[in-house]
Amino acid sequence: CRWVIFNGKDLTGWKVPEPNPFWKVVVGVLVGENDEKLKGHVLHTEQSYTNFVLELEVRWSGEIDSGVMLRAPELQVQFGISRSLKRDMTGSFYLAKSSINQQVGYPEAGRAKNTDRLFKADDWNKFRIEAKGDTFTVWLNGEQVVQYTDTRYSGGAPIGLQVHPGLKMKVEFRNVRARSLD
């Protein structure tokens, strides 16, 4: 089972777009930014994961809309300001419209708690995300902030890191590690 999924040097192990105006590696940090047209992108791992633990450190300044994509159909752990709710939903689960989900949004049971107390603005924040069976758990800086159960998100998929379109933003990732629980 692989543990490091970002080597700190290049984008080996990731499905990189061509051309790639969105993602670069700067001194061991994976940097995601919009292009000049404010297009966004999701950078996916080459490997698929079903049951796994993902640990990563994330840093941003100002208003961003980013997150981690997991499973199939896609389930997102939000980082930053929700474009739809216009408020910080860091650590919360976002359900995108799909064949199994006709409603989009943040289910009450999947909303993170205490992130305002735990989150360090303009600094590195450590997230741990666990997907095991139908249960999804997020820790922020060592404290569990949400546990969400949903039987609809069972398929394996690559892990994705998001730069949302329509908003000038920059998000940084480091120490990105994942290991399968299967």
Side-chain angles (χ1 to χ4, degrees), residues 36-176:
E36 64 282 345
K37 296 177 184 166
L38 297 184
K39 288 186 177 178
H41 185 263
V42 177
L43 183 68
H44 288 100
T45 58
E46 290 177 351
Q47 181 176 336
S48 286
Y49 297 83
T50 303
N51 296 308
F52 64 91
V53 172
L54 170 70
E55 293 181 349
L56 69 164
E57 292 176 75
V58 184
R59 177 173 67 183
W60 66 84
S61 296
E63 187 175 323
I64 69 156
D65 185 347
S66 180
V68 171
M69 311 306 193
L70 52 120
R71 290 279 181 96
E74 189 174 88
L75 181 62
Q76 178 184 351
V77 176
Q78 173 77 30
F79 296 152
I81 306 294
S82 158
R83 306 298 333 129
S84 58
L85 297 182
K86 307 288 188 236
R87 65 184 180 109
D88 193 326
M89 296 300 289
T90 295
S92 298
F93 288 97
Y94 176 77
L95 310 181
K97 189 172 183 177
S98 69
S99 59
I100 63 155
N101 182 33
Q102 298 307 306
Q103 300 273 329
V104 299
Y106 299 87
E108 195 60 43
R111 293 183 182 199
K113 310 285 188 267
N114 299 319
T115 55
D116 54 340
R117 178 175 56 82
L118 298 168
F119 185 78
K120 299 178 285 189
D122 304 322
D123 200 354
W124 290 105
N125 288 275
K126 184 175 183 179
F127 287 87
R128 178 183 171 98
I129 301 167
E130 183 178 284
K132 190 171 184 182
D134 61 4
T135 304
F136 307 93
T137 310
V138 177
W139 291 263
L140 170 56
N141 294 323
E143 189 170 312
Q144 183 178 314
V145 293
V146 65
Q147 187 168 69
Y148 177 63
T149 301
D150 194 323
T151 59
R152 301 175 296 176
Y153 297 90
S154 60
I159 293 170
L161 304 176
Q162 181 193 41
V163 172
H164 202 284
L167 171 71
K168 184 68 180 154
M169 60 168 276
K170 175 182 173 183
V171 60
E172 299 172 298
F173 302 92
R174 72 177 185 189
N175 299 321
V176 184

